[in-house]
């Protein structure tokens, strides 16, 4: 939580128990009120009865494809905010795990085209930000999973780019992630 922003071991969790109750835990010892305030919740939210429409719904899907555009896996964003990854099952459905899927940067074919042309790319922490950059007229990519999920092998796909701009989210994990990406690409 932000209360322990300087403590890299601090971690807070808000989740749903098997019986539908809201579970709150701060491993750094924060008060429950602090943890739920960080999630824009109130104490009353912990005790309200769950409604059928409270179930998570898919808000966005982000396809990860190979060099030729064939699907490898998807990152699925849910509301309330949560992320899951899934792979095609070969029958029009999905396995809700990666099953050893090859990991590549988001928008790989466009990244390779930009590298071949000697262009530039932004690297963001997540797909939503990468898509916003693309809508604004530039190119961006990211790694599935967000901060801390960059893999050294992703760097090979950037060979040929004239410039890479790494965009950091304004939090400690975001700054660390940006440094890791920059080191990998330099």
């Amino acid at each position: 939580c932000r209360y322990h922003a300087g403590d890299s071991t601090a971690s807070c969790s808000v989740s749903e128990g098997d019986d539908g109750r809201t579970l709150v835990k701060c491993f750094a010892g924060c008060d429950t009120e602090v943890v739920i305030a960080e999630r824009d919740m109130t104490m009353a939210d912990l005790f309200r009865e769950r409604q059928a429409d409270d179930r998570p719904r898919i808000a966005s899907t982000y396809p990860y494809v190979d060099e030729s555009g064939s699907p490898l896996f998807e990152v699925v964003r849910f509301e309330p905010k949560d992320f899951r990854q899934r792979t095609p099952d070969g029958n029009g459905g999905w396995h809700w795990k990666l099953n050893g899927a090859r990991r590549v940067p988001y928008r790989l074919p466009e990244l390779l085209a930009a590298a071949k042309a000697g262009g530039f790319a932004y690297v963001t922490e997540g797909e939503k930000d990468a898509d916003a950059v693309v809508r604004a007229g530039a190119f961006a990519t990211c790694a599935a999973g967000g901060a801390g999920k960059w893999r050294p092998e992703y760097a090979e796909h950037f060979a040929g780019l004239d410039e890479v701009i790494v965009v950091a989210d304004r939090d400690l994990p975001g700054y660390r992630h940006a440094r890791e990406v920059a080191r990998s690409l330099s």
Side-chain angles (χ1 to χ4, degrees):
C1 70
R2 281 182 249 164
Y3 184 73
H4 291 283
D7 181 356
S8 62
T9 63
S11 174
C12 296
S13 172
V14 177
S15 61
E16 181 179 327
D18 292 338
D19 60 359
R21 289 183 303 149
T22 301
L23 306 175
V24 177
K25 174 70 176 171
C26 179
F27 300 96
C30 298
D31 291 331
T32 299
E33 292 85 359
V34 171
V35 177
I36 64 170
E38 289 289 320
R39 283 15 178 229
D40 294 321
M41 297 171 64
T42 66
M43 289 297 286
D45 292 326
L46 297 180
F47 303 102
R48 77 177 175 88
E49 194 171 313
R50 262 192 95 203
Q51 305 297 315
D53 62 354
D54 285 346
R55 284 177 286 170
R57 63 175 178 75
I58 294 177
S60 303
T61 58
Y62 304 104
Y64 280 73
V65 299
D66 67 13
E67 293 82 353
S68 65
S70 296
L72 297 171
F73 64 95
E74 280 186 346
V75 170
V76 181
R77 180 187 179 116
F78 289 90
E79 289 299 332
K81 188 177 179 182
D82 189 21
F83 294 89
R84 302 273 188 240
Q85 297 172 348
R86 63 187 185 180
T87 54
D89 70 1
N91 298 313
W94 300 96
H95 293 290
W96 287 94
K97 52 187 172 181
L98 287 180
N99 292 329
R102 180 177 163 221
R103 308 289 178 84
V104 297
Y106 183 51
R107 298 177 165 271
L108 179 61
E110 297 101 321
L111 172 59
L112 296 174
K116 186 175 182 180
F120 75 95
Y122 289 90
V123 177
T124 64
E125 188 173 310
E127 297 88 1
K128 185 176 177 182
D129 292 337
D131 286 349
V133 170
V134 169
R135 282 192 305 277
F139 174 73
T141 186
C142 65
K149 302 300 183 191
W150 183 263
R151 294 172 169 236
E153 63 266 26
Y154 294 159
E156 69 187 54
H157 302 294
F158 289 76
L161 288 170
D162 289 337
E163 184 176 12
V164 177
I165 301 164
V166 180
V167 181
D169 278 16
R170 292 183 65 179
D171 57 20
L172 189 57
Y175 296 137
R176 287 181 179 154
H177 178 72
R179 275 195 307 271
E180 177 185 0
V181 171
R183 282 188 201 121
S184 175
L185 295 176
S186 54

